[in-house]
Amino acid sequence: MDIDKAISALNNPIRRQILIWLKDRSNFPPALPEHADLDGVCVAYIQEKAALSQSTISTYMSLLKDAGLVLSARHGQWTFYRRNEEAIAATLKKLSEDLQ
Amino acid sequence: MDIDKAISALNNPIRRQILIWLKDRSNFPPALPEHADLDGVCVAYIQEKAALSQSTISTYMSLLKDAGLVLSARHGQWTFYRRNEEAIAATLKKLSEDLQ
DNA sequence: TCCATAAATCGAGATATCGCGATATACCGC
DNA sequence: GCGGTATATCGCGATATCTCGATTTATGGA
């Protein structure tokens, strides 16, 4: 876990908001029937919610993934992103232990 | 509490390290006798420990202060900085509540 | 094979942050 | 007032981040 990368990824209100939205799948439109059993949310839905460009959101999701805070899975043309709960918890724990 | 400012201030390993050092006064040289009863550490001691220029450390301390994470008190020519425990705890709590 | 769709990558201009040396300000003791 | 010390501020070049539109890559369907 790279705390520097993680804090850097968190140092943006929209990226933090994305992590918050991802806590609850119902923040996004319902999944297509063929994706009903898959975990995570596709880039297009996140983009729509965040109201930033496709390229920006794709970059943001890569950043979050690079920091370990989300996991991704490709299914056909879609990439589904979901929270990495362990990494998020570990990051918050490390920050608290360091600073508290 | 401005979480954006706080995370931004924390988004630097040396500023985080300073907050960690400030947990324990003994990380710095002993206070001058005439400062024995004062709380906090002067800029010069922090600078020496961090091994960055005086202007950089002064700016860093201003940033941390602006974010509310430290408090400052001027005594004569010296400015003494100390942790703002409540603000640090509140920042970590907010981050955890938002993201966890 | 072609076309359409989803996502990733590229290139760029605008803005922010980093860290410095130089300078300014504030305060002290003489 | 003057010189010295501690800190703050200024100006700057270097680097990083932000966000975009355009392009590329990957995939699926007709």
Side-chain angles (χ1 to χ4, degrees), chain A residues 1-10 15 19 60-70 84 87-88 91:
Chain A
M1 193 243 299
D2 182 335
I3 192 74
D4 251 295
K5 256 191 191 171
I7 296 180
S8 199
L10 294 176
R15 286 195 295 266
L19 287 178
Y60 278 14
M61 297 317 295
S62 289
L63 250 170
L64 288 168
K65 185 172 138 78
D66 241 51
L69 300 172
V70 299
N84 186 346
I88 292 171
T91 299

Coordinates of all heavy atoms in Angstrom, one line a residue, chain A residues 1-10 15 19 60-70 84 87-88 91:
Chain A
M1 N 0.8 -1.2 0.0 CA 0.0 0.0 0.0 C 0.9 1.3 0.0 O 1.7 1.5 0.9 CB -0.9 0.0 1.3 CG -2.0 1.0 1.2 SD -1.8 2.3 2.5 CE -1.9 1.3 4.0
D2 N 0.7 2.0 -1.0 CA 1.5 3.3 -1.1 C 0.7 4.4 -0.7 O -0.2 4.9 -1.4 CB 1.9 3.4 -2.6 CG 2.8 4.6 -2.9 OD1 2.7 5.6 -2.1 OD2 3.5 4.6 -3.9
I3 N 1.0 4.9 0.6 CA 0.1 5.9 1.2 C 0.2 7.2 0.4 O -0.8 8.0 0.4 CB 0.5 6.1 2.7 CG1 -0.5 6.9 3.4 CG2 1.9 6.7 2.8 CD1 -1.8 6.2 3.7
D4 N 1.3 7.5 -0.2 CA 1.5 8.7 -1.0 C 0.6 8.7 -2.2 O -0.1 9.7 -2.5 CB 2.9 8.8 -1.5 CG 3.7 9.9 -0.8 OD1 3.3 11.1 -0.9 OD2 4.6 9.6 0.0
K5 N 0.5 7.6 -2.9 CA -0.3 7.4 -4.0 C -1.8 7.5 -3.6 O -2.6 8.1 -4.3 CB -0.1 6.1 -4.7 CG 0.7 6.2 -6.0 CD 0.6 4.8 -6.7 CE 1.6 4.8 -7.9 NZ 1.8 3.4 -8.4
A6 N -2.1 6.9 -2.5 CA -3.5 6.9 -2.0 C -4.0 8.3 -1.6 O -5.0 8.7 -2.1 CB -3.6 5.9 -0.8
I7 N -3.1 9.0 -0.9 CA -3.6 10.4 -0.5 C -3.7 11.2 -1.7 O -4.6 12.0 -1.8 CB -2.6 11.0 0.5 CG1 -2.6 10.1 1.8 CG2 -2.9 12.4 0.8 CD1 -1.7 10.6 2.9
S8 N -2.8 11.1 -2.6 CA -2.8 11.8 -3.9 C -4.1 11.6 -4.6 O -4.8 12.5 -5.1 CB -1.6 11.5 -4.7 OG -1.3 12.5 -5.7
A9 N -4.5 10.3 -4.7 CA -5.7 10.0 -5.4 C -6.9 10.5 -4.6 O -7.9 10.9 -5.2 CB -5.9 8.4 -5.5
L10 N -6.8 10.6 -3.3 CA -7.9 11.1 -2.5 C -8.0 12.7 -2.5 O -8.9 13.3 -2.1 CB -7.8 10.6 -1.1 CG -8.0 9.1 -0.9 CD1 -7.8 8.8 0.6 CD2 -9.4 8.7 -1.4
R15 N -13.0 12.6 -7.1 CA -12.5 11.2 -6.9 C -13.0 10.6 -5.5 O -13.5 9.5 -5.4 CB -11.0 11.1 -7.0 CG -10.5 11.2 -8.5 CD -9.1 10.7 -8.6 NE -8.1 11.6 -7.9 CZ -7.5 12.6 -8.5 NH1 -7.7 12.9 -9.7 NH2 -6.6 13.3 -7.7
L19 N -15.8 7.4 -4.9 CA -15.6 6.3 -3.9 C -16.9 6.3 -3.0 O -17.3 5.2 -2.6 CB -14.4 6.5 -3.0 CG -13.0 6.3 -3.7 CD1 -11.9 6.6 -2.8 CD2 -13.0 4.8 -4.2
Y60 N -9.3 9.2 -14.0 CA -9.6 9.2 -12.6 C -9.6 7.8 -12.1 O -9.1 7.4 -11.0 CB -10.9 9.9 -12.2 CG -10.7 11.4 -12.1 CD1 -9.6 12.1 -12.6 CD2 -11.8 12.2 -11.6 CE1 -9.5 13.5 -12.5 CE2 -11.7 13.6 -11.5 CZ -10.6 14.2 -12.0 OH -10.5 15.6 -11.9
M61 N -10.4 6.9 -12.8 CA -10.5 5.6 -12.4 C -9.2 4.8 -12.4 O -8.9 4.0 -11.5 CB -11.6 4.8 -13.2 CG -13.0 5.4 -13.1 SD -13.5 5.9 -11.4 CE -13.6 4.3 -10.6
S62 N -8.4 5.1 -13.4 CA -7.0 4.5 -13.5 C -6.2 5.0 -12.3 O -5.5 4.1 -11.7 CB -6.3 5.0 -14.7 OG -6.9 4.3 -15.8
L63 N -6.3 6.2 -11.9 CA -5.6 6.7 -10.7 C -6.0 6.0 -9.5 O -5.2 5.6 -8.7 CB -5.9 8.2 -10.6 CG -4.8 9.2 -10.9 CD1 -5.3 10.6 -10.9 CD2 -3.7 9.1 -9.8
L64 N -7.3 5.9 -9.3 CA -7.8 5.2 -8.1 C -7.4 3.8 -8.1 O -7.1 3.2 -7.0 CB -9.4 5.3 -8.1 CG -9.9 6.7 -7.7 CD1 -11.4 6.8 -8.0 CD2 -9.6 7.1 -6.3
K65 N -7.4 3.2 -9.3 CA -7.0 1.8 -9.4 C -5.5 1.6 -9.1 O -5.1 0.7 -8.3 CB -7.3 1.3 -10.8 CG -7.0 -0.2 -11.0 CD -7.5 -0.7 -12.3 CE -6.6 -1.6 -13.1 NZ -6.6 -3.0 -12.6
D66 N -4.7 2.5 -9.6 CA -3.3 2.6 -9.4 C -3.0 2.7 -7.9 O -2.0 2.2 -7.4 CB -2.6 3.7 -10.1 CG -1.6 3.3 -11.1 OD1 -2.0 2.4 -11.9 OD2 -0.5 3.8 -11.1
A67 N -3.8 3.5 -7.2 CA -3.6 3.7 -5.8 C -4.1 2.5 -5.0 O -4.0 2.5 -3.8 CB -4.3 5.0 -5.4
G68 N -4.8 1.6 -5.7 CA -5.3 0.4 -5.0 C -6.7 0.6 -4.4 O -7.2 -0.4 -3.8
L69 N -7.3 1.7 -4.6 CA -8.5 2.0 -3.9 C -9.8 1.4 -4.5 O -10.8 1.3 -3.9 CB -8.7 3.5 -3.7 CG -7.6 4.2 -2.9 CD1 -7.7 5.7 -3.0 CD2 -7.6 3.7 -1.5
V70 N -9.6 1.1 -5.8 CA -10.7 0.4 -6.5 C -10.1 -0.8 -7.3 O -8.9 -0.9 -7.5 CB -11.5 1.3 -7.5 CG1 -12.1 2.5 -6.8 CG2 -10.6 1.8 -8.6
N84 N -12.3 -1.2 -3.4 CA -11.4 -2.2 -2.7 C -11.5 -1.9 -1.2 O -10.7 -1.1 -0.7 CB -10.0 -2.0 -3.3 CG -9.1 -3.1 -2.7 OD1 -9.4 -3.8 -1.8 ND2 -7.9 -3.3 -3.3
A87 N -8.3 -2.1 1.0 CA -7.3 -1.1 0.7 C -7.8 0.2 1.3 O -7.0 1.0 1.8 CB -7.0 -1.0 -0.8
I88 N -9.1 0.5 1.1 CA -9.6 1.8 1.7 C -9.5 1.8 3.2 O -9.0 2.8 3.8 CB -11.1 2.0 1.2 CG1 -11.2 2.2 -0.3 CG2 -11.7 3.2 2.0 CD1 -12.6 2.2 -0.8
T91 N -5.8 2.1 4.2 CA -5.3 3.5 4.0 C -5.8 4.4 5.2 O -5.0 5.1 5.7 CB -5.9 4.1 2.7 OG1 -5.4 3.3 1.6 CG2 -5.4 5.5 2.5

